[in-house]
């Protein structure tokens, strides 16, 4: 089949790598792709939000299946748009807008979880009209306080103030337009203390689903989880604390009720669901849903998907996963992200990158914020390269990624040297 993958990050590079390895994939196109995705398929310079341009690619390249990498086109209704058109319809991996609301509105997601009995932090939602009730609700909570912009805020919409005074000021700022329309509603919730992990399911909209390998990501810029939040500085899979007993609870209390809840609500969800989970004591709770794979988790998770992902995605998109297995490679995988100096604040672009090796049996360097400038590879974003490796253990996989990073250079390059160290400490 001819496949069109939408997106340009490290996640899409990892998906492109995996898709291109399938005997079912004839031609792979990536729109717009990045400086590395061209080695797995053909980049086409089009925005995933430009549905007309995407429609032309679908027609001209006889696309059989579209895989939507990031949430924006899903929230903008790309699946609904093409379903409604009177034209040849490719398969879509990704939910309709109604399903994408699980990520697009935190209030919607909370109401969904409450309706279907899925464990999550207690919460209430406030608007500018109910700000006084918001202040009163904050007074009933113990610090720290969790305030979330209801809508999409480029991953920056969650603020966790330490004091009641700061929390009240933050609520006023958010409702006052700190994140524009995204924070016209603010969800305030109970702070949960625990360790987080990312669980991914591929669902077929008819109750069938498969779990992908579990991963943990590292969001802060600084070692020891300090400093500003980023899009993600690394990922490790498997996750030592997400053992069989924990995953059974995750499946029974969270994944299955979510898939069945979507069915009950009449939402035809075919695609990936990302469960941002926290282990509180021994119990899993949902921090958030995303309607796509995680980045940089995908760069580690794809290494461990042993089955043909194209076959699985096509079956899910057709509405029936049937008995297809999703086999997991027993090896560990680890991703370390090399970022631009200054990221996640301002950083330079266009710096030449050297020392990126071709994929080996052990390591694949997935490009994220890169582009080709003639023959030269240059930086074009904050997160530049996702260096992903296999290992018999997470420690071995990490060592392989760090060894590869030693040879890679660009001015100002930075990476965290402590990815996975918390998990290694738990193993001891
Ligand atoms: P989100 O954008 O919803 O993933 O939230 C960003 C981060 O804020 C999460 O990864 C958690 O580390 C933290 N967070 C969100 N909600 C809570 C909560 N209820 N309790 C503790 N930490 C939270
Ligand atoms: N790694 C977190 C995310 O993709 O949202």
């Amino acid at each position: 089949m001819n496949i069109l993958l939408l997106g340009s990050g490290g996640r899409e590079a990892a998906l492109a790598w995996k898709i291109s390895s399938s005997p079912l994939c004839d031609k792979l196109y990536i729109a717009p792709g990045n400086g590395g995705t061209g080695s797995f398929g053909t980049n086409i310079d089009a925005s995933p939000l430009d549905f007309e341009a995407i429609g032309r690619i679908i027609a001209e390249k006889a696309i059989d299946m579209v895989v939507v990498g990031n949430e924006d086109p899903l929230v903008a209704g790309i699946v609904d748009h093409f379903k409604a058109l009177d034209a040849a319809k490719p398969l879509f991996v990704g939910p309709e807008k109604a399903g994408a609301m699980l990520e697009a509105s935190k209030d919607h997601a909370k109401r969904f979880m409450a309706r279907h009995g899925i464990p999550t932090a207690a919460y209430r939602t406030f608007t500018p009209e109910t700000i006084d009730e918001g202040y009163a609700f904050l007074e009933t909570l113990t610090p720290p306080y969790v305030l979330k912009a209801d809508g999409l805020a480029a991953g920056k919409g969650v603020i966790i103030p330490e004091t009641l005074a700061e929390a009240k000021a933050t609520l006023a700022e958010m409702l006052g337009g700190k994140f524009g329309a995204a924070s016209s509603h603010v969800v305030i919730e109970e702070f949960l203390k625990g360790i987080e992990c990312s669980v991914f399911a591929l669902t077929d909209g008819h109750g069938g689903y498969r779990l992908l390998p579990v991963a943990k990501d590292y969001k802060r810029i600084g070692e020891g989880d300090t400093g500003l939040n980023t899009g993600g500085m690394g990922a490790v899979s498997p996750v030592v604390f997400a053992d069989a007993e924990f995953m059974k609870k995750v499946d029974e209390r969270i994944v299955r009720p979510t898939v069945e809840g979507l069915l009950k609500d009449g939402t035809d969800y075919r695609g990936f669901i990302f469960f941002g989970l926290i282990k509180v004591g021994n119990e899993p709770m949902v921090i958030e849903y995303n309607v796509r794979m995680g980045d940089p988790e995908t760069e580690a998770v794809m290494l461990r998907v042993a089955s043909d992902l194209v076959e699985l995605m096509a079956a899910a998109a057709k509405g029936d996963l049937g008995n297809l297995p999703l086999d997991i490679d027993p090896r560990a995988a680890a991703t370390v992200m090399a970022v631009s100096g200054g990221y996640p604040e301002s950083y330079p672009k266009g710096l030449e990158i050297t020392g990126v090796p071709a994929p080996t049996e052990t390591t694949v360097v997935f490009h994220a914020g890169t582009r080709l400038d003639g023959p030269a590879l240059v930086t074009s974003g904050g997160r530049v390269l996702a260096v992903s490796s296999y290992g018999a253990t997470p420690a071995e996989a990490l060592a392989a990624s760090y060894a590869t990073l030693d040879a890679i250079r660009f001015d100002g390059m930075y990476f965290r040297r402590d990815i996975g160290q918390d998990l290694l400490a738990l193993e001891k």
Side-chain angles (χ1 to χ4, degrees):
M1 51 194 333
N2 296 330
I3 299 172
L4 173 62
L5 171 64
L6 302 182
S8 62
R11 168 184 46 218
E12 285 74 32
L15 286 168
W17 172 78
K18 184 67 184 162
I19 290 169
S20 67
S21 74
S22 166
L24 297 175
C25 177
D26 294 315
K27 287 244 163 70
L28 171 64
Y29 301 92
I30 308 104
N34 61 38
T37 49
S39 57
F40 307 123
T42 305
N43 285 348
I44 302 183
D45 190 16
S47 162
L49 289 170
D50 183 346
F51 296 172
E52 277 183 27
I54 300 303
R56 282 194 296 275
I57 298 170
I58 289 171
E60 282 165 20
K61 307 296 185 191
I63 297 297
D64 301 295
M65 181 161 77
V66 180
V67 180
V68 186
N70 75 325
E71 67 278 10
D72 289 344
L74 297 168
V75 174
I78 191 167
V79 178
D80 315 64
H81 172 87
F82 284 100
K83 262 198 175 169
L85 281 191
D86 201 12
K89 295 183 190 19
L91 296 168
F92 268 86
V93 181
E96 296 172 1
K97 198 171 178 171
M101 289 304 287
L102 281 184
E103 178 165 356
S105 164
K106 303 238 184 238
D107 177 62
H108 173 92
K110 290 301 248 186
R111 280 187 280 120
F112 175 88
M113 287 185 268
R115 191 159 66 241
H116 299 295
I118 296 165
T120 187
Y123 83 105
R124 280 185 60 190
T125 302
F126 300 94
T127 64
E129 291 70 42
T130 58
I131 190 165
D132 289 329
E133 290 170 45
Y135 293 147
F137 183 61
L138 284 169
E139 282 169 12
T140 69
L141 299 175
T142 49
Y145 304 87
V146 181
L147 289 88
K148 301 186 172 185
D150 174 55
L152 294 180
K156 300 197 168 73
V158 178
I159 301 181
I160 306 190
E162 290 293 334
T163 68
L164 182 60
E166 282 173 276
K168 287 183 175 175
T170 302
L171 178 62
E173 278 172 31
M174 289 175 83
L175 290 175
K178 184 178 171 73
F179 300 105
S183 64
S184 64
H185 291 60
V186 172
V187 171
I188 300 180
E189 63 180 44
E190 166 199 15
F191 180 83
L192 299 176
K193 197 164 169 42
I195 185 159
E196 292 175 54
C197 64
S198 306
V199 167
F200 303 96
L202 176 65
T203 77
D204 66 12
H206 290 78
Y209 65 91
R210 297 290 179 276
L211 289 183
L212 288 93
V214 189
K216 183 172 193 295
D217 81 337
Y218 294 82
K219 289 206 174 79
R220 302 295 193 94
I221 187 72
E223 289 171 10
D225 283 323
T226 54
L228 294 174
N229 254 319
T230 71
M233 297 296 290
V236 175
S237 178
V239 177
V240 60
F241 64 83
D243 53 16
E245 187 195 340
F246 180 75
M247 289 309 295
K248 186 162 180 276
K249 292 179 186 170
V250 169
D251 192 21
E252 286 173 359
R253 300 180 194 170
I254 293 171
V255 180
R256 190 166 312 140
T258 298
V259 169
E260 287 171 1
L262 287 163
L263 265 183
K264 281 184 205 153
D265 290 354
T267 307
D268 185 353
Y269 194 118
R270 306 181 193 190
F272 295 103
I273 309 180
F274 169 152
F275 303 82
L277 303 183
I278 186 163
K279 183 177 184 177
V280 182
N282 278 316
E283 313 309 322
M285 298 182 78
V286 178
I287 291 272
E288 65 162 350
Y289 287 114
N290 294 304
V291 298
R292 50 167 174 82
M293 289 294 293
D295 196 346
E297 291 95 325
T298 306
E299 290 94 304
V301 164
M302 283 303 131
L303 266 59
R304 302 193 62 227
V305 174
S307 301
D308 185 337
L309 187 68
V310 171
E311 186 177 24
L312 281 157
M313 290 193 298
K318 282 179 193 155
D320 186 9
L321 276 163
N323 294 321
L324 280 181
L326 195 159
D327 294 324
I328 294 177
D329 190 310
R331 288 175 291 176
T335 297
V336 181
M337 192 67 80
V339 306
S340 298
Y343 174 79
E345 297 186 281
S346 65
Y347 52 83
K349 291 184 186 176
L351 304 175
E352 184 162 358
I353 307 166
T354 59
V356 178
T360 66
E361 290 288 301
T362 307
T363 299
V364 195
V365 179
F366 295 120
H367 291 226
T370 74
R371 75 183 164 81
L372 289 171
D373 186 6
L377 181 68
V378 300
T379 65
S380 68
R383 292 191 295 167
V384 178
L385 296 168
V387 181
S388 297
S389 304
Y390 287 105
T393 60
E396 267 186 45
L398 284 159
S401 285
Y402 283 119
T404 303
L405 275 160
D406 277 342
I408 298 174
R409 302 256 183 289
F410 54 87
D411 282 347
M413 175 172 119
Y414 167 76
F415 57 90
R416 271 178 65 170
R417 294 204 174 261
D418 69 338
I419 300 302
Q421 289 305 314
D422 56 339
L423 297 180
L424 301 187
L426 288 177
E427 279 177 15
K428 286 184 186 132

